[in-house]
Each structure stands twice: as C-alpha cells, then as structure tokens.
Amino acid sequence: MRRSSEDTKSAILAAARERFGADGYEKATIRAIAGDVGVDPAMVMRYFGNKEKLFAAAAHFDLRFPDLASTPREQVGTAMVGHFLDLWETSEALQVLLRTGVTNEAAAERMREIFATQLGPLAARLCPDPATAPTRAGLAASQILGLALTRYVLRLPPVMAMTREEVVAWLGPTLQRYLTE
Amino acid sequence: MRRSSEDTKSAILAAARERFGADGYEKATIRAIAGDVGVDPAMVMRYFGNKEKLFAAAAHFDLRFPDLASTPREQVGTAMVGHFLDLWETSEALQVLLRTGVTNEAAAERMREIFATQLGPLAARLCPDPATAPTRAGLAASQILGLALTRYVLRLPPVMAMTREEVVAWLGPTLQRYLTE
DNA sequence: ACTGTAGGCCAACGGGTGTTGACATAGCTA
DNA sequence: TAGCTATGTCAACACCCGTTGGCCTACAGT
C-alpha cells in the first residue's frame, strides 16, 4: 500500500512522540519508531534528517497555557491545576518534555523556555510585588511538575489514586498562595 | 600501582554514582565509569557482575529521613524542607534515583519503596485522619520532588536562585498543610 | 504504452555497548 | 627461591545504534 508523504511524516511524528514520552531520548530508537509505523528507518532520515531534528520536531508545539485573565483572582489556583491536568491528559507533549528533559539538555532548555515565557508573565500579572514574580512562577512550576512527576512518571500509588477533584482541592490553595499571596 | 580490592570497588561505586546521577541509566556507560577510576571495564564486571547489579549497588543506601518526632508539631513542615535540602546537597543518592527513575523502572520502584516506607509512616503519625495518610505523604512527595526536579535537574533559573531560607519559608507551610491540616 | 518521479526498501558502514575468557604481573607464603 | 593467588589488562565477541547510498516499484502525465 502506498501512502502520501504527509501521512507518513505525521505518522512518524506521532510514533516518535509516543516513544520519546515513554522511553526518554536515548532509549527511544529510530528503528523502534520506524517499526511502530511499519516503515523503514531510512524513511525517518529522509523526512527528518537525523534523530535530533526528529526530536525537535516531536517536541515542537505551541503549549499555550490557559488564559486566566477571565477567572476571578481568588480562584486562579484551582483553575490552573484543572487546566494543567487537562493538558497532561490530553496531549503527550508535556510528558515528552518531562521524560526527556531529565537526560537531554535540549529538552531541558525547551522546558525552561516554556516556563519562562508562559508562566512568568502570568505570575507577573497576578502577584502583588512584581519583583517576586519569577520566584513565584518557579514555585508554581515546582509543584505542578512535581505532581506530574509523581503521578505520571514515577507513578507513586497514592498520587495516582487521587481523583481529579482531590488533586484540584489540594494543589489549588498551594498555587493560589504561591502566585497571589 | 596496586590497590586493595576494597579500594577499587568503592572507587568504582563512587564513580558510578556520579555518572548515574549526572547522565541517567542509559547514557552512563560502564566504559566511562571505568575510565573515571582509571581501570579496565572488565574490573567493573568482575566486582559487580553486570550493569544492572552495579546500578543496584550504586542506588542502594539507607536513605533515612530525619526523625521528626522531637520537633514541635507546628514546625514539622519547615523542618522537613530543611532536612531535605541537606539530603540533596550532601549525598548524590537522591539525585541518582531522580535522574534514573524517569527512564529506569527499577529505580522508579526503588523510589516508590523509599517514599512508602519512609514518608508513609511519618505522615501516618502526624496527620489527623489516618485514612488520608498515604494521600498526604504523596502530596508531600510531589512538592519535595518537584522542587528537586526544577532546582537540581531542570535548573529553572528562579528556582536555582532561591536561597535555602527562601525555599524553607515558601515550601514549609505547604508541607505543613499537606501533612497536618 | 512510455517514461519520470515520488515513496519506500535493503544492505551495509563505522562506531559504541555490555560482556567474556585468556593472559600478565605484583606480592605474599612456604 | 618457587609457586599461588589476588589484582589487573587485553583483545575480541555479538549486538544494537544512527546513518548512508543504491535499488526497486507503483503511479501520474504525456
């Protein structure tokens, strides 16, 4: 069977996201990704050049944090936790970055960039003293990423067992304090 | 120059901890570890059998969380953050587990085990309703590991820039609430 | 029907990996 | 001094990796 170029390309990209997200950068091999698609590894090279560029393509997406301008200031913490849980469970994007960012410097840099450009301004707009905004954004990141790490990567049983509502109820006030108090 | 068996063995172990902690499981090669010690890779095999056993040996340590029985109940949060910062900066042990736990299932299991046996009972003794103890321990783990991730692994600038006192002041109340309220 | 080309496969390369077994040598013991 | 054992080296194996260049083949345009 013959496919269009675009079909194959996007199929490879999808498989790459899955592998990078599940195995990390080193363990995710081009051969395995190609195998998932049912295609020769040479195809991956043809369309993406090399492994690093394939990863860059797989890790490139516009991760737009929800615009919280419309939510009441006192509920910004809980709203944020909710939106983040959606993000994690909807797309594999963040999963990819978290798994690879631990051993791959490019992914770590991308993570820094995302949090600087997305969480930073949000914190700046919300917090009382603008000078403390970066610190507050960093604190929020630590709690959000810590939840993702323990829930989706390390899979600590009690963290996995929590319902969405419980997570929001527990983490909401924490983020609220980090961002606004 | 000739060394004693024990000297070489512990030198290998130290180099292994450093490599595993810096590079993760896959990227840390036996050849590189042996090279750091200035020894033939075959020595590593002779003393530790294979890579997995070397890793098990490098990741085996009794990570005893500080006994917080003597600290006043209202200060348990800040005390815990302080002790954890000490742990992270004193030994490479936790760094190894965090870096490898993301891609290596054995390390993830070890992390789960540590948090279950060490943080679990602590939470059980502190929190008001024993039924919620595991959840509370998990929440505490999420914030502690999230800090370690953003500060020591991803190295988000604002999180790196915080002083020890600032970290304690911000995270202390969070842990206090997770564990006791 | 003929041909050009895009989409895909195959075999191989150079290099790195974990791992193995044979060999060397320093230092203790008889 | 002779020999044994602990400590260590060396070369090689089999495998997997990313990557490359040549070959095939189905299809579209003429």
Short mmCIF file of all heavy atoms in Angstrom, two decimals, chain A residues 2 29-31 45 50-51, chain D residues 17-21 25-26:
data_model
loop_
_atom_site.label_atom_id
_atom_site.label_comp_id
_atom_site.label_asym_id
_atom_site.label_seq_id
_atom_site.Cartn_x
_atom_site.Cartn_y
_atom_site.Cartn_z
N ARG A 2 0.41 2.23 -0.67
CA ARG A 2 1.18 3.46 -0.80
C ARG A 2 0.51 4.58 -0.02
O ARG A 2 -0.71 4.71 -0.02
CB ARG A 2 1.24 3.83 -2.30
CG ARG A 2 2.47 4.58 -2.73
CD ARG A 2 3.70 3.69 -2.63
NE ARG A 2 4.88 4.35 -3.17
CZ ARG A 2 5.16 4.46 -4.47
NH1 ARG A 2 4.36 3.92 -5.36
NH2 ARG A 2 6.24 5.07 -4.88
N THR A 29 14.56 4.53 20.12
CA THR A 29 15.41 4.39 18.94
C THR A 29 14.64 4.67 17.66
O THR A 29 13.43 4.43 17.58
CB THR A 29 16.00 2.98 18.85
OG1 THR A 29 14.96 2.06 18.54
CG2 THR A 29 16.67 2.59 20.15
N ILE A 30 15.36 5.16 16.68
CA ILE A 30 14.76 5.42 15.37
C ILE A 30 14.19 4.14 14.79
O ILE A 30 13.12 4.12 14.18
CB ILE A 30 15.81 6.04 14.43
CG1 ILE A 30 16.08 7.48 14.88
CG2 ILE A 30 15.35 5.99 12.99
CD1 ILE A 30 16.85 8.29 13.87
N ARG A 31 14.93 3.06 14.99
CA ARG A 31 14.45 1.77 14.48
C ARG A 31 13.10 1.39 15.09
O ARG A 31 12.21 0.87 14.41
CB ARG A 31 15.49 0.69 14.77
CG ARG A 31 16.71 0.75 13.86
CD ARG A 31 17.81 -0.17 14.37
NE ARG A 31 18.57 -0.81 13.31
CZ ARG A 31 19.70 -0.34 12.81
NH1 ARG A 31 20.22 0.77 13.28
NH2 ARG A 31 20.32 -0.98 11.84
N MET A 45 14.97 9.14 8.36
CA MET A 45 16.08 10.02 8.00
C MET A 45 15.70 10.91 6.83
O MET A 45 15.99 12.10 6.80
CB MET A 45 17.30 9.19 7.64
CG MET A 45 17.70 8.16 8.67
SD MET A 45 17.97 8.87 10.29
CE MET A 45 19.38 9.89 9.96
N ASN A 50 17.92 13.79 10.92
CA ASN A 50 18.59 12.96 11.92
C ASN A 50 17.76 12.90 13.20
O ASN A 50 16.70 13.54 13.30
CB ASN A 50 20.00 13.48 12.22
CG ASN A 50 19.99 14.93 12.68
OD1 ASN A 50 19.06 15.36 13.35
ND2 ASN A 50 21.02 15.66 12.33
N LYS A 51 18.25 12.16 14.18
CA LYS A 51 17.46 11.92 15.38
C LYS A 51 17.18 13.22 16.15
O LYS A 51 16.07 13.42 16.64
CB LYS A 51 18.20 10.94 16.30
CG LYS A 51 17.37 10.50 17.50
CD LYS A 51 18.10 9.50 18.37
CE LYS A 51 17.23 9.05 19.53
NZ LYS A 51 17.89 8.04 20.38
P DC D 17 18.54 -0.76 18.72
OP1 DC D 17 17.50 -0.31 19.66
OP2 DC D 17 18.21 -1.49 17.48
"O5'" DC D 17 19.45 0.50 18.34
"C5'" DC D 17 20.09 1.22 19.40
"C4'" DC D 17 21.11 2.16 18.79
"O4'" DC D 17 22.20 1.40 18.24
"C3'" DC D 17 20.58 2.97 17.62
"O3'" DC D 17 19.98 4.14 18.12
"C2'" DC D 17 21.86 3.30 16.86
"C1'" DC D 17 22.81 2.14 17.20
N1 DC D 17 23.11 1.18 16.12
C2 DC D 17 24.21 1.38 15.29
O2 DC D 17 24.91 2.39 15.45
N3 DC D 17 24.48 0.47 14.32
C4 DC D 17 23.69 -0.61 14.19
N4 DC D 17 24.00 -1.49 13.23
C5 DC D 17 22.56 -0.83 15.03
C6 DC D 17 22.31 0.08 15.96
P DG D 18 19.04 5.00 17.15
OP1 DG D 18 18.33 5.97 18.00
OP2 DG D 18 18.29 4.05 16.31
"O5'" DG D 18 20.10 5.77 16.23
"C5'" DG D 18 20.90 6.79 16.80
"C4'" DG D 18 21.87 7.34 15.77
"O4'" DG D 18 22.59 6.25 15.16
"C3'" DG D 18 21.22 8.12 14.63
"O3'" DG D 18 22.05 9.23 14.31
"C2'" DG D 18 21.17 7.10 13.50
"C1'" DG D 18 22.41 6.27 13.76
N9 DG D 18 22.27 4.88 13.30
C8 DG D 18 21.25 4.01 13.60
N7 DG D 18 21.39 2.83 13.05
C5 DG D 18 22.58 2.92 12.36
C6 DG D 18 23.27 1.95 11.57
O6 DG D 18 22.92 0.77 11.33
N1 DG D 18 24.46 2.45 11.04
C2 DG D 18 24.92 3.72 11.25
N2 DG D 18 26.08 4.02 10.65
N3 DG D 18 24.31 4.64 11.98
C4 DG D 18 23.14 4.18 12.51
P DT D 19 21.57 10.31 13.24
OP1 DT D 19 22.30 11.58 13.47
OP2 DT D 19 20.10 10.30 13.17
"O5'" DT D 19 22.17 9.69 11.90
"C5'" DT D 19 23.57 9.41 11.83
"C4'" DT D 19 23.90 8.75 10.51
"O4'" DT D 19 23.52 7.36 10.52
"C3'" DT D 19 23.19 9.37 9.28
"O3'" DT D 19 24.18 9.96 8.46
"C2'" DT D 19 22.49 8.19 8.61
"C1'" DT D 19 23.21 6.99 9.21
N1 DT D 19 22.42 5.73 9.24
C2 DT D 19 22.91 4.62 8.62
O2 DT D 19 23.97 4.61 8.02
N3 DT D 19 22.12 3.49 8.71
C4 DT D 19 20.90 3.39 9.35
O4 DT D 19 20.28 2.34 9.37
C5 DT D 19 20.42 4.60 9.98
C7 DT D 19 19.10 4.61 10.71
C6 DT D 19 21.20 5.70 9.90
P DT D 20 23.75 10.74 7.13
OP1 DT D 20 24.70 11.85 6.92
OP2 DT D 20 22.30 10.98 7.15
"O5'" DT D 20 24.07 9.63 6.04
"C5'" DT D 20 25.34 9.00 6.05
"C4'" DT D 20 25.48 8.06 4.86
"O4'" DT D 20 24.78 6.83 5.15
"C3'" DT D 20 24.90 8.60 3.55
"O3'" DT D 20 25.90 8.54 2.55
"C2'" DT D 20 23.71 7.68 3.25
"C1'" DT D 20 24.07 6.42 4.01
N1 DT D 20 22.89 5.64 4.51
C2 DT D 20 22.82 4.29 4.29
O2 DT D 20 23.69 3.68 3.69
N3 DT D 20 21.71 3.68 4.80
C4 DT D 20 20.68 4.29 5.50
O4 DT D 20 19.73 3.64 5.91
C5 DT D 20 20.81 5.70 5.69
C7 DT D 20 19.75 6.44 6.43
C6 DT D 20 21.89 6.31 5.19
P DG D 21 25.80 9.40 1.21
OP1 DG D 21 27.13 9.99 0.95
OP2 DG D 21 24.59 10.25 1.27
"O5'" DG D 21 25.55 8.26 0.13
"C5'" DG D 21 26.39 7.13 0.12
"C4'" DG D 21 25.79 6.05 -0.75
"O4'" DG D 21 24.72 5.40 -0.04
"C3'" DG D 21 25.19 6.56 -2.07
"O3'" DG D 21 25.59 5.69 -3.11
"C2'" DG D 21 23.68 6.50 -1.82
"C1'" DG D 21 23.59 5.32 -0.87
N9 DG D 21 22.41 5.32 -0.01
C8 DG D 21 21.79 6.41 0.57
N7 DG D 21 20.75 6.09 1.30
C5 DG D 21 20.68 4.72 1.21
C6 DG D 21 19.76 3.81 1.80
O6 DG D 21 18.81 4.05 2.54
N1 DG D 21 20.04 2.49 1.45
C2 DG D 21 21.07 2.10 0.64
N2 DG D 21 21.20 0.79 0.42
N3 DG D 21 21.95 2.93 0.09
C4 DG D 21 21.69 4.22 0.41
P DT D 25 10.63 -4.66 -8.01
OP1 DT D 25 10.44 -5.99 -7.40
OP2 DT D 25 11.04 -4.50 -9.42
"O5'" DT D 25 9.32 -3.81 -7.78
"C5'" DT D 25 9.11 -3.14 -6.54
"C4'" DT D 25 8.09 -2.03 -6.70
"O4'" DT D 25 8.76 -0.75 -6.84
"C3'" DT D 25 7.21 -2.15 -7.95
"O3'" DT D 25 5.92 -1.67 -7.61
"C2'" DT D 25 7.89 -1.20 -8.92
"C1'" DT D 25 8.21 -0.07 -7.94
N1 DT D 25 9.21 0.93 -8.40
C2 DT D 25 9.07 2.23 -7.97
O2 DT D 25 8.19 2.58 -7.24
N3 DT D 25 10.03 3.09 -8.45
C4 DT D 25 11.07 2.78 -9.30
O4 DT D 25 11.87 3.63 -9.68
C5 DT D 25 11.15 1.40 -9.71
C7 DT D 25 12.24 0.94 -10.65
C6 DT D 25 10.22 0.55 -9.26
P DA D 26 4.62 -2.72 -7.86
OP1 DA D 26 4.65 -3.74 -6.80
OP2 DA D 26 4.65 -3.11 -9.30
"O5'" DA D 26 3.37 -1.76 -7.62
"C5'" DA D 26 3.20 -1.12 -6.37
"C4'" DA D 26 2.95 0.37 -6.57
"O4'" DA D 26 4.12 0.98 -7.19
"C3'" DA D 26 1.76 0.72 -7.47
"O3'" DA D 26 0.96 1.67 -6.79
"C2'" DA D 26 2.40 1.32 -8.72
"C1'" DA D 26 3.68 1.91 -8.16
N9 DA D 26 4.79 2.05 -9.10
C8 DA D 26 5.34 1.08 -9.90
N7 DA D 26 6.35 1.50 -10.63
C5 DA D 26 6.48 2.82 -10.29
C6 DA D 26 7.38 3.82 -10.72
N6 DA D 26 8.34 3.62 -11.62
N1 DA D 26 7.24 5.06 -10.16
C2 DA D 26 6.26 5.26 -9.25
N3 DA D 26 5.36 4.40 -8.78
C4 DA D 26 5.53 3.19 -9.34
#
